[in-house]
Amino acid sequence: MEKWRSSQRILRNYTKTLISHRFNTNHNNSPNISSSGKQGFYTNSYDLRDYRGRSSTTVNQNCRNLQYRLFGSTTFEVQRNPSFATLNSEDVNRFKEMLGEKNVIEDEDRLATANIDWMRKYKGFSKLLLQPKSTQEVSEILKYCNSRCLAVVPQGGNTGLVGGSVPVFDEVIINIGSMNNIISLDKVSGILVCEAGCILENLDSFLLNEGFIMPLDLGAKGSCQIGGNVSTNAGGLRYVRYGSLHGSILGLEVVQANGTVLDMLGTIRKDSTGYDLKQLFIGSEGSLGIITKVSILTPPRLSSTNLAFLACKDFFSCQKLLSESKRKLGEVLSAFEFLDNQSMDMVLTYLDGVRNPLPPSVHNFYVLIETTGSNETHDKEKLEAFLLHSMESGLISDGVVAQDINQASSFWRIREGITEALMKAGAVYKYDLSLPVEKMYNLVEKMRIRLGQRAKVLGYGHLGDANLHLNISTPEF
Amino acid sequence: MEKWRSSQRILRNYTKTLISHRFNTNHNNSPNISSSGKQGFYTNSYDLRDYRGRSSTTVNQNCRNLQYRLFGSTTFEVQRNPSFATLNSEDVNRFKEMLGEKNVIEDEDRLATANIDWMRKYKGFSKLLLQPKSTQEVSEILKYCNSRCLAVVPQGGNTGLVGGSVPVFDEVIINIGSMNNIISLDKVSGILVCEAGCILENLDSFLLNEGFIMPLDLGAKGSCQIGGNVSTNAGGLRYVRYGSLHGSILGLEVVQANGTVLDMLGTIRKDSTGYDLKQLFIGSEGSLGIITKVSILTPPRLSSTNLAFLACKDFFSCQKLLSESKRKLGEVLSAFEFLDNQSMDMVLTYLDGVRNPLPPSVHNFYVLIETTGSNETHDKEKLEAFLLHSMESGLISDGVVAQDINQASSFWRIREGITEALMKAGAVYKYDLSLPVEKMYNLVEKMRIRLGQRAKVLGYGHLGDANLHLNISTPEF
């Protein structure tokens, strides 16, 4: 315990009293740190849902009424706002009339899954999960909840890492997963219209046959839903090539908290009529309404993909390699990811069957460069010439190009497996930061000096988009 | 006149009493059509500036107080809102104290230029043009105008074709052209920060030396300003490659009508913190505030550019060629523009020194395909293989690839010269439409049948973005 408390002291400027009481099985209203290693943590992001009032309230036996969270250097008690109603059997019956019995979930096992996030760090106490099948049903649910003052939390694939998709107290969970129909695809322009509950990977598979791809790709693609991707303004691996969802989303259908349906489901490439209100819903995490349909521009699927796994001696070389690749690989560059050797060690230690494709040596950084283009020969030539030049100029100390799809998958497994490895290693403090590339890694180094032997500090992420994942791993919180 | 009136009758569903009285030198309050061929026209777009009230007012000797404009099929009188104040000498003195004498323009010749648009279709009656040099000055101007209830119109390069940048009545013109400093360029990420009055072409020239390009390009690049581009959500020739400004604009500084400065000038590639309010200012045409600074992601400048000028027998072939080029040219495609033979005739008739690069023949459509990539040999190979295949499959009936920059410029001159040729040909009714590609040209054909010999109907535009310019040319309005 001493070690843990020491690290807590060192970390206090960053995580002071971030500990929530949600995982503590004994009721305890004091803000003291519990001895359990399984507590939930809040990130210091600002939560937009207004459910968390600050007026005092009593502890409820059915759900926690009190949480602690940090804004800047100040700790707030976050209490269940007593002006919100508590679910009763009449409410449940009304929902059953609206949605049919089987779409109103009270089963404890199924609720347990929906009440907890993928990382098992955040846990809510919802007693009800609703599965609407149409925009109309979402509208009816919200209208009713609004009239009854019942709090809700929208949930997509529940793959987020910051607790945004699980309840805090006893909110009704509205899961959009049953709304998973593809509505249309314009095969000339690549404009796809679908319901918000479509799983990202399913959309990509559908598009594969039609000659298009989704403009975004992320590790959680097998479970995450497009509505959640849009609500959280998800970035991911293709961002460097296809850019932000603010550019690719052409239209949205959204249901506001009072049940009003906003039809902003444009399906044209350019629309400069009036204010572009749909933009406000991209990244607003459900706080302005629940996204029910999405219209998105999908780029054509190109025939040739190549992947190189490279080693660099320092972060400056990674930066320089990025600048050079943007110029020399230019139009074919489709991903530029990096990880430090601490991230590599983590993956090699905790994931079965993963190996470093480069011979054992002291490499400080690893870079994945993916190219996607329309001509295999051209793309290979470009990549090989670029790698040769980078090797000669000393930017790369070692490297290997995937010879087939299996090898490419094994390279991606290293980068995409870091989160899973971190989970297996114990407790993890996750930070997702946008910074100027040249200053990005300073933060990791400073944190490493601060923490010394007490924790492992990992830096990896989307270097091509100046997006760092700073992760701090300790045996327990 | 008979011909003109006939065409007016046929057109009335679209342009009924669109005629404004602004160009008529005699005061005339009746909504009758004037005999002058130099009248101004309103497009049937909705103007967001609230200056045009609908309460009755008297005719003012200094400015027109009454206009007519069409919303849907209903004509409204648009009157100067009498609650707005009229400029007096004390106001002018206050502006001189704020900005210095030379930035407060009352000179009639200079005002005449600022009161009329590039097409000479819209004319205002402003008595004052202000040239602020800083955000602070813009803020002071707006704060003062707000307190005095003086109407204002923001003006950038005044290159718009729909009258958005000229006054309607006697608004004070705020021209941002003196705010033309480049603030910073991040050479790793290509993020440019500059003042809103920077001319697009100047930014592109600055970036040329640094190895980047602006993500947008348009015919008016030599005069239009980046603030105006953002305010109007300008598209242009590079849209098919680099997408919408909603994706490339990373931050804005904006001054609201009451003088409040909103600092949303983010300079990071990804920002998912809070609501993305800057998005509302992209395309809101100054109605929410005046943009004073812009942060924009600029792509790397690639070394190889190729341009093909092609002929297609019908619009279906153009469409098919677009789909194929997106797939086969994929990553190097940087522009896909089209014009019909009526547009070609217009350019050949009215512009000196322009010739059709293809041998005389009856071609119905022309397409310009531009590629931009990092490898000259690869790009040429891709383009040539694509053209050969398209020729063999009958999608292209003839074509030529530019051999040098002069030839490329002469091809672009045809496409970019259409607006100028139309101006020389007489009166022009301009429509800028986003439509599904497959239905796009039906509108041109239907309009041509409706108008018969009375007018020339031209269709051209950004086929790659499903954006049609429908233009109707008559000797006079």
Side-chain angles (χ1 to χ4, degrees):
Chain A
M1 280 309 299
E2 181 51 36
K3 187 181 170 191
W4 177 80
R5 273 188 274 117
S6 300
S7 85
Q8 187 64 23
R9 271 202 300 276
I10 303 253
L11 264 173
R12 75 183 168 202
N13 285 329
Y14 296 91
T15 60
K16 187 166 56 178
T17 59
L18 286 180
I19 312 290
S20 102
H21 288 235
R22 294 197 281 177
F23 280 65
N24 190 341
T25 49
N26 299 313
H27 289 280
N28 181 354
N29 277 332
S30 81
N32 296 330
I33 293 156
S34 148
S35 61
S36 159
K38 280 215 156 207
Q39 295 137 334
F41 279 72
Y42 286 107
T43 59
N44 58 352
S45 65
Y46 178 59
D47 195 299
L48 295 156
R49 281 178 284 165
D50 70 350
Y51 185 46
R52 293 109 181 196
R54 283 170 198 157
S55 57
S56 65
T57 182
T58 55
V59 175
N60 181 313
Q61 286 303 317
N62 294 316
C63 65
R64 300 284 175 226
N65 287 18
L66 189 62
Q67 309 279 5
Y68 294 91
R69 80 174 23 203
L70 184 77
F71 296 100
S73 57
T74 314
T75 309
F76 291 94
E77 279 186 5
V78 182
Q79 292 174 327
R80 186 186 186 284
N81 187 334
S83 66
F84 280 94
T86 304
L87 193 78
N88 62 33
S89 60
E90 200 190 319
D91 298 326
V92 176
N93 289 335
R94 284 292 296 276
F95 290 128
K96 286 180 178 169
E97 286 166 25
M98 274 178 215
L99 313 175
E101 293 238 357
K102 74 179 171 61
N103 296 311
V104 179
I105 313 295
E106 297 177 279
D107 175 75
E108 283 195 11
D109 286 348
R110 288 183 64 189
L111 277 170
T113 315
N115 265 312
I116 199 162
D117 74 306
W118 183 81
M119 292 280 284
R120 306 187 68 78
K121 282 166 74 176
Y122 308 92
K123 188 171 177 294
F125 298 88
S126 178
K127 298 287 177 196
L128 197 70
L129 167 73
L130 303 178
Q131 297 182 145
K133 295 176 303 303
S134 67
T135 303
Q136 186 53 37
E137 288 186 355
V138 175
S139 168
E140 281 171 31
I141 292 168
L142 288 176
K143 197 170 172 184
Y144 179 79
C145 289
N146 194 46
S147 71
R148 272 278 291 129
C149 212
L150 285 167
V152 303
V153 58
Q155 187 172 81
N158 196 14
T159 62
L161 302 178
V162 294
S165 58
V166 290
V168 177
F169 300 105
D170 59 340
E171 299 96 309
V172 172
I173 301 170
I174 303 178
N175 189 301
I176 302 296
S178 300
M179 295 179 62
N180 56 4
N181 293 303
I182 288 165
I183 297 165
S184 66
L185 172 70
D186 177 336
K187 293 183 190 183
V188 176
S189 60
I191 295 165
L192 172 75
V193 183
C194 66
E195 289 182 319
C198 289
I199 287 171
L200 181 59
E201 195 168 49
N202 294 352
L203 292 175
D204 217 32
S205 304
F206 165 77
L207 290 174
L208 172 68
N209 300 321
E210 308 289 348
F212 297 93
I213 58 166
M214 290 299 284
L216 76 164
D217 183 25
L218 38 150
K221 58 182 167 280
S223 315
C224 68
Q225 297 169 12
I226 188 68
N229 297 150
V230 176
S231 293
T232 56
N233 192 19
L237 304 169
R238 292 177 187 160
Y239 198 95
V240 70
R241 175 72 166 261
Y242 299 114
S244 153
L245 288 174
H246 286 289
S248 357
I249 292 295
L250 302 182
L252 294 175
E253 181 189 76
V254 175
V255 185
Q256 291 180 294
N258 64 0
T260 305
V261 179
L262 297 185
D263 180 358
M264 305 171 289
L265 200 64
T267 56
I268 50 175
R269 178 73 185 94
K270 271 185 190 175
D271 186 354
S272 293
T273 56
Y275 298 125
D276 196 354
L277 292 181
K278 71 170 184 291
Q279 297 287 351
L280 286 183
F281 294 87
I282 301 173
S284 61
E285 304 192 5
S287 61
L288 299 175
I290 298 182
I291 294 174
T292 45
K293 292 196 186 92
V294 170
S295 165
I296 186 166
L297 182 74
T298 68
R301 182 177 295 271
L302 302 177
S303 55
S304 152
T305 300
N306 290 292
L307 183 66
F309 193 93
L310 311 167
C312 295
K313 65 177 186 303
D314 52 30
F315 189 71
F316 181 76
S317 301
C318 299
Q319 262 184 65
K320 197 91 178 52
L321 196 66
L322 171 64
S323 298
E324 295 269 308
S325 71
K326 280 191 175 172
R327 234 157 276 280
K328 301 223 169 108
L329 297 173
E331 70 281 6
V332 291
L333 183 67
S334 56
F336 195 108
E337 299 287 312
F338 92 107
L339 53 146
D340 56 17
N341 59 353
Q342 288 81 352
S343 303
M344 175 64 94
D345 285 348
M346 188 63 71
V347 170
L348 296 178
T349 308
Y350 290 98
L351 297 190
D352 291 338
V354 174
R355 64 170 200 88
N356 186 344
L358 300 177
S361 175
V362 186
H363 298 301
N364 291 317
F365 292 91
Y366 298 92
V367 167
L368 281 100
I369 294 182
E370 189 195 68
T371 67
T372 307
S374 60
N375 185 307
E376 182 93 31
T377 315
H378 290 173
D379 293 5
K380 273 207 155 63
E381 263 180 50
K382 275 193 189 94
L383 184 61
E384 279 161 16
F386 171 71
L387 295 179
L388 189 65
H389 179 265
S390 304
M391 196 77 94
E392 283 168 1
S393 66
L395 289 184
I396 303 173
S397 37
D398 203 350
V400 54
V401 176
Q403 295 305 306
D404 56 37
I405 195 159
N406 294 331
Q407 216 168 10
S409 299
S410 73
F411 293 178
W412 275 123
R413 174 72 179 135
I414 297 169
R415 166 63 187 84
E416 292 190 318
I418 302 173
T419 298
E420 194 185 330
L422 279 162
M423 254 182 86
K424 292 188 176 173
V428 58
Y429 300 74
K430 296 186 81 71
Y431 301 89
D432 195 347
L433 304 144
S434 272
L435 292 163
V437 172
E438 57 266 45
K439 292 174 190 161
M440 196 193 247
Y441 203 72
N442 298 359
L443 194 63
V444 182
E445 285 167 341
K446 281 200 178 163
M447 191 57 80
R448 205 164 272 153
I449 292 166
R450 267 189 111 128
L451 295 179
Q453 294 304 311
R454 297 178 195 91
K456 285 178 185 151
V457 180
L458 278 61
Y460 63 98
H462 314 296
L463 193 63
D465 313 314
N467 184 183
L468 171 73
H469 296 319
L470 168 65
N471 281 238
I472 296 161
S473 171
T474 58
E476 52 183 21
F477 285 117
Chain B
M1 280 309 297
E2 181 49 36
K3 188 180 170 192
W4 177 79
R5 272 187 276 119
S6 301
S7 83
Q8 187 65 23
R9 272 201 299 275
I10 303 252
L11 266 173
R12 77 184 164 200
N13 286 329
Y14 296 90
T15 61
K16 187 166 57 177
T17 58
L18 286 179
I19 311 291
S20 101
H21 288 235
R22 294 197 281 178
F23 280 64
N24 190 341
T25 49
N26 298 313
H27 290 279
N28 182 353
N29 277 333
S30 81
N32 296 330
I33 293 156
S34 148
S35 61
S36 159
K38 281 214 157 206
Q39 294 136 335
F41 279 71
Y42 287 109
T43 60
N44 58 353
S45 65
Y46 177 59
D47 195 299
L48 295 156
R49 281 178 284 165
D50 70 352
Y51 185 47
R52 294 107 180 195
R54 280 168 200 161
S55 58
S56 64
T57 182
T58 56
V59 174
N60 181 313
Q61 286 302 317
N62 295 316
C63 66
R64 299 284 175 227
N65 287 19
L66 189 62
Q67 308 279 6
Y68 294 91
R69 80 175 22 205
L70 183 77
F71 296 98
S73 57
T74 315
T75 308
F76 292 94
E77 279 186 5
V78 181
Q79 293 175 328
R80 186 185 186 286
N81 186 334
S83 66
F84 280 94
T86 303
L87 193 77
N88 62 33
S89 59
E90 200 191 320
D91 298 325
V92 176
N93 288 336
R94 284 292 296 276
F95 291 128
K96 286 180 178 170
E97 285 165 28
M98 274 179 214
L99 313 175
E101 292 237 358
K102 74 180 170 59
N103 295 312
V104 178
I105 313 293
E106 296 178 279
D107 175 75
E108 283 195 11
D109 287 349
R110 287 182 65 188
L111 278 170
T113 315
N115 265 312
I116 199 163
D117 73 306
W118 183 80
M119 293 281 283
R120 307 187 67 78
K121 282 166 75 178
Y122 308 92
K123 187 172 177 293
F125 298 89
S126 177
K127 298 289 177 195
L128 197 69
L129 167 73
L130 303 178
Q131 297 183 143
K133 295 176 302 303
S134 67
T135 303
Q136 186 52 36
E137 287 185 356
V138 175
S139 169
E140 281 173 30
I141 292 168
L142 289 175
K143 196 170 173 186
Y144 180 78
C145 289
N146 194 46
S147 71
R148 270 278 291 131
C149 213
L150 285 167
V152 301
V153 58
Q155 187 172 81
N158 197 14
T159 61
L161 302 177
V162 292
S165 57
V166 289
V168 177
F169 299 105
D170 59 341
E171 298 97 309
V172 173
I173 302 170
I174 303 177
N175 189 301
I176 303 294
S178 300
M179 294 178 63
N180 57 3
N181 293 304
I182 289 166
I183 298 165
S184 66
L185 172 70
D186 176 337
K187 293 183 189 181
V188 176
S189 60
I191 295 165
L192 173 75
V193 183
C194 66
E195 288 183 318
C198 289
I199 288 172
L200 181 59
E201 196 169 48
N202 293 352
L203 292 176
D204 217 31
S205 304
F206 164 76
L207 290 174
L208 172 66
N209 299 322
E210 308 288 348
F212 297 93
I213 58 165
M214 288 299 284
L216 76 164
D217 183 26
L218 37 150
K221 56 181 168 280
S223 315
C224 67
Q225 297 168 11
I226 189 68
N229 297 150
V230 175
S231 293
T232 56
N233 193 17
L237 304 168
R238 294 178 186 159
Y239 198 95
V240 70
R241 175 73 165 260
Y242 300 113
S244 153
L245 288 174
H246 286 289
S248 352
I249 293 295
L250 302 182
L252 293 176
E253 181 191 76
V254 175
V255 185
Q256 290 181 295
N258 64 0
T260 305
V261 180
L262 298 184
D263 180 359
M264 305 170 290
L265 199 64
T267 55
I268 50 174
R269 178 74 185 93
K270 272 186 188 173
D271 186 354
S272 293
T273 56
Y275 298 126
D276 197 354
L277 292 180
K278 71 170 184 292
Q279 297 288 349
L280 285 183
F281 294 88
I282 301 172
S284 60
E285 304 192 6
S287 62
L288 299 176
I290 298 182
I291 294 174
T292 46
K293 292 196 185 91
V294 170
S295 165
I296 186 166
L297 182 74
T298 68
R301 182 178 295 271
L302 301 177
S303 56
S304 152
T305 301
N306 290 293
L307 184 66
F309 194 92
L310 312 166
C312 295
K313 65 178 187 302
D314 52 31
F315 188 71
F316 182 77
S317 301
C318 299
Q319 261 184 66
K320 197 91 177 53
L321 196 66
L322 171 63
S323 298
E324 295 268 308
S325 71
K326 280 189 175 174
R327 235 157 275 280
K328 302 222 168 109
L329 297 174
E331 69 281 6
V332 291
L333 183 67
S334 56
F336 195 108
E337 299 287 312
F338 92 107
L339 53 146
D340 57 16
N341 61 353
Q342 288 81 352
S343 303
M344 175 63 94
D345 285 348
M346 188 62 72
V347 170
L348 296 178
T349 308
Y350 289 98
L351 297 190
D352 291 338
V354 174
R355 64 171 200 87
N356 186 344
L358 300 176
S361 173
V362 186
H363 298 301
N364 291 317
F365 292 91
Y366 298 92
V367 168
L368 281 101
I369 294 182
E370 188 196 67
T371 65
T372 307
S374 60
N375 186 308
E376 181 93 30
T377 315
H378 289 174
D379 293 5
K380 274 208 152 64
E381 263 180 50
K382 275 194 189 92
L383 184 60
E384 279 162 15
F386 171 70
L387 294 179
L388 189 66
H389 179 265
S390 304
M391 194 77 93
E392 282 169 1
S393 66
L395 289 184
I396 301 174
S397 36
D398 203 351
V400 54
V401 176
Q403 295 306 305
D404 56 37
I405 194 159
N406 293 331
Q407 217 168 11
S409 298
S410 73
F411 294 178
W412 275 122
R413 174 72 178 135
I414 297 169
R415 167 63 187 85
E416 292 190 315
I418 302 173
T419 298
E420 193 185 332
L422 279 162
M423 254 182 85
K424 291 189 175 172
V428 58
Y429 301 73
K430 295 187 82 72
Y431 301 89
D432 194 347
L433 305 145
S434 272
L435 292 163
V437 172
E438 56 266 46
K439 292 173 188 161
M440 195 193 246
Y441 203 73
N442 298 358
L443 194 63
V444 181
E445 285 167 340
K446 281 200 178 162
M447 191 56 81
R448 205 166 271 153
I449 292 166
R450 267 188 111 127
L451 295 178
Q453 295 303 312
R454 296 178 196 91
K456 284 178 184 151
V457 180
L458 278 61
Y460 64 98
H462 314 295
L463 193 62
D465 314 313
N467 183 184
L468 170 73
H469 296 318
L470 169 65
N471 281 240
I472 296 161
S473 170
T474 59
E476 52 185 21
F477 285 116

